[in-house]
Amino acid sequence: MLIQFNFKNFKSFKDDTVLDLSATKITEFNNHVINIGEEKILPIAAIFGANASGKSNVHQAFRYMCNYVINSFGFGGDNQDKNNAFIPPTPFLFDNTSKNDSSSFEVYFITDENDKYKTYNYGFCVDKQGVKEEWLNSKAKTAKKYKNIFYRNREEDELILDGISSKNHENIRIALENEALVVSLGAKLKIQCLKKIRDWFLKHEVADFGNPLENFLLSRFIPEGFDEDEEVRKNVINYFSSFDESIVDFKVEKITDGEGKEHINVDALHKVIGSDALEAIPLREESAGTLKMFSLYSGMKSILDNGGIFFVDELNSRLHPLLVRNFLVTFIDSNINKNHAQIIFTTHDTWSLSNDMLRRDEIWFVEKDKNGASHLYSLVDFQDVDGDKIRKDENYEKNYLLGKYGAIPELKTISMCRGK
């Protein structure tokens, strides 16, 4: 499970930014807290903020880190794949120092009992030339201090591999490119302690429903095995029945076009009033909300089956608030969420900003300052103008819209026409 995600100098975030999913010592909704090893961790983080505040950049920072870890073994060198090339992160551009500095990404996470509940700290810094710094530390369940597995520093020409078997040192040193991560290369070389870190990142699902192209592509993506496995389709139908019982089945056909390419056509089968017959409606003609629920299925199923993080930008888009609530309840319910999956999402839906749904340490805000830099902070740490912490019995939604917690747009009258 993710304990903490830290990043710095990425897009609108200039300074150190911390998204902490460890549970604080507050009293509401103790059933949300997952006890694993020596840690108490939350399954949910909801991020609120105004348009253009930078909340989507939290999502993009996590996506960048995941993609870099998974793909960077092929970065750099003479044989670099043009379709999988090194792309440096975008730093904070409105400051002469930060725009030329590296961006950093770091996670703390804990594994399950198969790995004896070890805690790992892994991170790296990247600039235009590639990896500037990289580190991996681990801590046993009962240990107080982290042990270094490896450390790398480009400027000091330093590569310390003390926690990795000496038989692998030479292969790493020979094959490591400036743009590649030790973890990514090590996983490719089948070094187990490094493969374990890479595999942790592989478990996560990241979806951006604020991106029109990605939204379209996700809605056209069918679950693995959906076209051939009746059991998979049955699971999808059961999922749909939680919000729309009119869809009772799916019809799947494989169609070959004039160029010999095979395509899959999916129709949703609906009940017909007063008849046992079913009416087929092309899935693409279903409502935007139904298509979004279809596109959310694969990611959610994978996360719940395998554990990991479902990081969704604009979760509320095209979904009724009660559907969003149903998603959150799924992650809170330990009878369903048996593998300690987590969901982190950005939203404009203040309906879910409620003290009968979320803990104060599950609620986060992003606000942009006068210099254009974004800042992430939790409701549990927020202090009002009198220096008092927020109480658990407050009306979070009302107070947020009144501006008590910040992170709302500063509105002026919309004027499009110039008077005479």
Side-chain angles (χ1 to χ4, degrees):
M1 294 188 76
L2 178 66
I3 302 170
Q4 192 176 104
F5 171 50
N6 307 326
F7 64 99
K8 181 181 179 180
N9 195 28
F10 181 79
K11 295 195 172 181
S12 63
F13 287 88
K14 176 177 179 287
D15 301 318
D16 287 310
T17 302
V18 178
L19 178 64
D20 194 343
L21 277 82
S22 55
T24 58
K25 295 179 180 179
I26 56 177
T27 58
E28 66 261 34
F29 298 123
N30 287 326
N31 64 308
H32 289 204
V33 179
I34 297 172
N35 292 284
I36 178 169
E38 299 295 311
E39 301 287 343
K40 297 180 183 296
I41 307 176
L42 300 169
I44 295 173
I47 304 173
F48 299 84
N51 291 95
S53 63
K55 61 184 183 297
S56 292
N57 290 337
V58 182
H59 166 274
Q60 290 178 28
F62 188 75
R63 167 172 271 184
Y64 184 91
M65 185 178 194
C66 289
N67 287 342
Y68 206 99
V69 170
I70 293 167
N71 298 313
S72 78
F73 68 86
F75 293 170
D78 297 332
N79 298 318
Q80 179 171 260
D81 183 356
K82 293 181 180 180
N83 296 318
N84 185 34
F86 166 68
I87 300 176
T90 302
F92 183 78
L93 298 173
F94 307 135
D95 178 270
N96 287 329
T97 300
S98 64
K99 72 179 182 180
N100 296 310
D101 203 354
S102 62
S103 302
S104 66
F105 308 87
E106 181 181 48
V107 290
Y108 289 82
F109 66 92
I110 187 169
T111 55
D112 59 23
E113 62 180 337
N114 293 325
D115 194 39
K116 300 180 181 179
Y117 299 114
K118 277 187 180 178
T119 304
Y120 292 92
N121 162 233
Y122 172 66
F124 55 87
C125 302
V126 185
D127 59 17
K128 295 176 183 178
Q129 283 73 50
V131 181
K132 183 178 180 181
E133 193 176 5
E134 186 183 3
W135 59 94
L136 174 62
N137 307 296
S138 70
K139 181 166 70 72
K141 177 182 175 181
T142 56
K144 294 183 178 180
K145 294 183 178 180
Y146 283 89
K147 292 175 63 176
N148 179 252
I149 297 176
F150 75 81
Y151 177 74
R152 168 192 190 184
N153 189 310
R154 187 184 68 211
E155 293 183 344
E156 301 293 332
D157 194 23
E158 190 174 24
L159 180 59
I160 301 171
L161 304 170
D162 290 347
I164 299 172
S165 174
S166 58
K167 67 181 182 181
N168 295 308
H169 289 190
E170 186 177 359
N171 286 339
I172 292 174
R173 293 181 186 279
I174 290 173
L176 189 63
E177 300 284 351
N178 276 343
E179 299 88 347
L181 294 169
V182 172
V183 158
S184 302
L185 175 62
K188 188 70 173 177
L189 295 173
K190 295 182 170 57
I191 301 171
Q192 287 305 309
C193 66
L194 301 180
K195 184 176 181 297
K196 186 184 302 179
I197 306 303
R198 192 282 312 271
D199 289 351
W200 183 80
F201 284 91
L202 281 173
K203 292 197 301 183
H204 310 321
E205 298 284 342
V206 184
D208 181 2
F209 290 99
N211 182 319
L213 177 58
E214 185 169 340
N215 197 357
F216 173 81
L217 293 175
L218 285 169
S219 69
R220 298 306 191 269
F221 178 78
I222 65 172
E224 185 177 356
F226 185 81
D227 56 329
E228 297 176 343
D229 192 331
E230 186 177 339
E231 190 65 28
V232 173
R233 290 199 292 275
K234 190 180 296 182
N235 286 336
V236 177
I237 294 162
N238 290 336
Y239 165 77
F240 267 77
S241 68
S242 67
F243 66 95
D244 184 0
E245 292 187 340
S246 68
I247 297 177
V248 296
D249 205 346
F250 293 96
K251 178 183 177 183
V252 182
E253 291 181 309
K254 292 184 178 180
I255 300 172
T256 303
D257 62 20
E259 298 178 354
K261 294 180 180 180
E262 192 175 78
H263 302 273
I264 296 174
N265 182 67
V266 180
D267 291 340
L269 301 181
H270 291 255
K271 296 177 183 177
V272 175
I273 298 173
S275 171
D276 293 331
L278 298 175
E279 185 65 33
I281 304 293
L283 184 63
R284 64 181 179 274
E285 294 183 13
E286 293 286 348
S287 70
T290 297
L291 289 174
K292 180 169 182 180
M293 289 298 290
F294 190 81
S295 62
L296 282 166
Y297 173 82
S298 293
M300 188 170 180
K301 181 74 164 57
S302 174
I303 290 298
L304 291 172
D305 284 348
N306 304 305
I309 304 158
F310 198 14
F311 207 134
V312 187
D313 195 21
E314 302 287 0
L315 176 62
N316 63 299
S317 174
R318 297 182 175 86
L319 295 183
H320 191 279
L322 289 176
L323 276 177
V324 175
R325 185 186 184 95
N326 216 21
F327 262 86
L328 303 187
V329 168
T330 301
F331 283 84
I332 294 166
D333 189 342
S334 59
N335 293 316
I336 300 174
N337 186 10
K338 296 178 181 180
N339 295 308
H340 306 320
Q342 295 167 287
I343 183 168
I344 304 171
F345 65 98
T346 70
T347 180
H348 292 289
D349 177 19
T350 59
W351 187 89
S352 58
L353 185 54
S354 168
N355 60 12
D356 69 355
M357 185 69 229
L358 297 173
R359 290 164 52 102
R360 284 167 288 171
D361 49 7
E362 293 175 321
I363 297 171
W364 292 79
F365 299 108
V366 175
E367 184 170 55
K368 190 173 283 188
D369 64 25
K370 63 181 180 180
N371 295 317
S374 298
H375 302 274
L376 177 69
Y377 54 94
S378 173
L379 183 62
V380 77
D381 297 323
F382 187 81
Q383 295 181 340
D384 63 20
V385 291
D386 298 320
D388 296 325
K389 292 287 187 75
I390 304 304
R391 301 192 317 271
K392 66 180 180 180
D393 60 348
E394 288 191 18
N395 187 326
Y396 303 156
E397 180 181 18
K398 176 183 176 183
N399 288 339
Y400 170 63
L401 292 175
L402 288 173
K404 183 175 181 178
Y405 311 142
I408 60 171
E410 295 183 10
L411 302 178
K412 298 179 182 179
T413 302
I414 296 175
S415 179
M416 297 181 181
C417 301
R418 183 179 297 174
K420 293 182 180 180

